[in-house]
Amino acid sequence: MVPAYLVRHPPPPPTIDRNTYSLNGPPLAPPRTIKPAPEMSKDFFRNMRDLQNSMDDFSTFHDTILKAITPLTNFSNEPLSSTVFLFLFVATCALFIAPHLLPWRLMSLLLCWTSIALGHSSVQEFVINNRESHLRPHERRAQSLLDSWIARDIILDAPHESREVEIFELQKRRSGGGKGDWESWIFSHNPFDPLSPQRIAGERPKGTRFFEDVCAPRGWEWHDKKWILDLGSREWVEERMMQGVEVEVEGERWVTDLVPEEENQSSVSRTSKTIGPGWSEGTEREAVGEWRRRRWIRMVRRKGVSSNKDNAKSG
């Protein structure tokens, strides 16, 4: 504001005696207004140069801050980032509980005077020259204590998440064939029971023809070496509330479609024990449906970062 005041109240010219020049009275000049420089003038390019220099300084400062803070907060080093988060959480709780116990005025005074002092060239030179001999040993000791505390108290080795996946082996009865004349058809994630939406819509089952082509879900890897036949065929049939099927509780555990009653009036079947509505438990029937299936299970676990990197390298 001082330069703006001097524009409106200029000092006396050198040819006039200052003692006879009155500084009182109304303003002697109009206020100065800043006008935009023409696009092709020297002032315009000079302003553009200054703006680029200031933006370069800001970008350099921004990159420096990110370079110092990002490794501590992006969990690339998960134990270190967890420690930083723990310290910040404890400090935040302490500030909420006991802020009145801290000498805020003294802390602000020391912080401001330290910032001002570090801006002096002599102080900067003194700090830089004595850092290696005085500060470096303490930094290494503090880093060593922090690393040992992190290794001892920060435990993040949680086991991989494991889940069970299933696949259904579907077989189709050959046209005109007998009861035991089945053909391996497909491995599908859908049991393709008589009341499934795909079956009602007249679609064909989807899947793969060979067991070896069944892959683990995306982001997961096989935990067991091989597939295991699910011997609890009755349980998974009840869970899905499947109807119109016959369940084998012994042997190969096939779940076979039943022939509708109107198609089976003239056939003779072995007596079976009814267990639930719409399906029965038995081992032999003279007339069976077109499809049968059984369930295979296998354990998978979620891939870690190292596993993904190893797979990318091997691929």
Side-chain angles (χ1 to χ4, degrees):
M1 297 179 66
V2 173
Y5 180 83
L6 293 178
V7 169
R8 301 213 65 188
H9 301 272
T15 57
I16 299 178
D17 188 6
R18 290 179 178 271
N19 295 326
T20 60
Y21 187 82
S22 177
L23 298 178
N24 299 325
L28 302 178
R32 182 177 60 182
T33 57
I34 301 177
K35 298 180 180 180
E39 293 185 359
M40 302 305 296
S41 63
K42 293 183 178 180
D43 293 337
F44 179 80
F45 291 101
R46 191 178 294 113
N47 294 338
M48 184 180 294
R49 179 199 61 192
D50 297 339
L51 178 62
Q52 290 177 346
N53 292 336
S54 62
M55 290 300 297
D56 179 69
D57 296 338
F58 173 78
S59 300
T60 303
F61 176 75
H62 181 266
D63 294 341
T64 303
I65 296 298
L66 287 183
K67 185 177 180 181
I69 295 179
T70 300
L72 301 176
T73 57
N74 66 350
F75 285 87
S76 57
N77 186 349
E78 198 166 358
L80 180 60
S81 298
S82 301
T83 303
V84 173
F85 178 82
L86 179 62
F87 286 166
L88 291 177
F89 178 76
V90 173
T92 303
C93 294
L95 290 177
F96 273 108
I97 295 173
H100 59 283
L101 301 178
L102 298 176
W104 293 105
R105 292 184 178 181
L106 179 60
M107 293 169 58
S108 301
L109 183 65
L110 293 177
L111 180 62
C112 294
W113 276 111
T114 302
S115 302
I116 295 174
L118 290 177
H120 198 277
S121 58
S122 300
V123 177
Q124 292 179 358
E125 183 179 359
F126 175 78
V127 172
I128 293 174
N129 294 335
N130 293 274
R131 181 180 180 182
E132 293 295 333
S133 58
H134 294 83
L135 295 180
R136 282 294 185 184
H138 297 288
E139 290 179 0
R140 297 190 187 96
R141 183 180 179 184
Q143 184 67 35
S144 176
L145 292 176
L146 179 63
D147 293 340
S148 61
W149 184 82
I150 292 175
R152 184 178 62 255
D153 293 340
I154 303 297
I155 301 175
L156 300 174
D157 297 332
H160 291 277
E161 181 182 0
S162 298
R163 292 190 180 183
E164 182 183 86
V165 295
E166 63 181 6
I167 197 73
F168 292 93
E169 179 186 0
L170 302 182
Q171 289 188 355
K172 184 178 181 182
R173 186 164 55 86
R174 291 186 175 91
S175 58
K179 179 187 174 184
D181 196 6
W182 295 94
E183 177 185 5
S184 297
W185 194 260
I186 205 171
F187 291 92
S188 174
H189 66 282
N190 190 343
F192 205 62
D193 59 284
L195 297 182
S196 63
Q198 295 85 354
R199 190 86 168 266
I200 296 175
E203 300 177 359
R204 308 297 292 178
K206 298 179 180 180
T208 179
R209 293 295 303 272
F210 303 102
F211 223 155
E212 294 77 10
D213 296 335
V214 179
C215 300
R218 183 176 299 177
W220 299 76
E221 62 184 359
W222 297 122
H223 185 54
D224 294 340
K225 293 184 179 180
K226 59 181 181 178
W227 290 89
I228 301 175
L229 178 62
D230 187 3
L231 302 180
S233 53
R234 174 177 174 178
E235 285 75 11
W236 65 263
V237 169
E238 289 181 345
E239 288 177 358
R240 288 171 169 80
M241 294 184 292
M242 296 173 57
Q243 298 184 6
V245 294
E246 181 189 42
V247 181
E248 287 186 6
V249 295
E250 296 179 358
E252 297 181 347
R253 296 328 196 256
W254 289 105
V255 177
T256 309
D257 293 349
L258 293 175
V259 178
E261 294 183 0
E262 58 272 11
E263 298 181 9
N264 195 31
Q265 291 179 353
S266 60
S267 64
V268 179
S269 63
R270 179 183 173 181
T271 303
S272 62
K273 180 182 177 182
T274 301
I275 302 297
W279 65 274
S280 62
E281 176 185 335
T283 55
E284 293 182 5
R285 294 182 69 92
E286 294 297 334
V288 293
E290 184 182 9
W291 296 91
R292 69 176 183 176
R293 77 281 300 153
R294 58 181 174 179
R295 182 173 180 258
W296 297 82
I297 57 176
R298 192 173 181 181
M299 296 299 297
V300 294
R301 63 181 179 183
R302 191 179 294 276
K303 289 183 180 180
V305 176
S306 58
S307 299
N308 291 333
K309 291 182 178 179
D310 295 340
N311 292 339
K313 290 180 180 178
S314 62

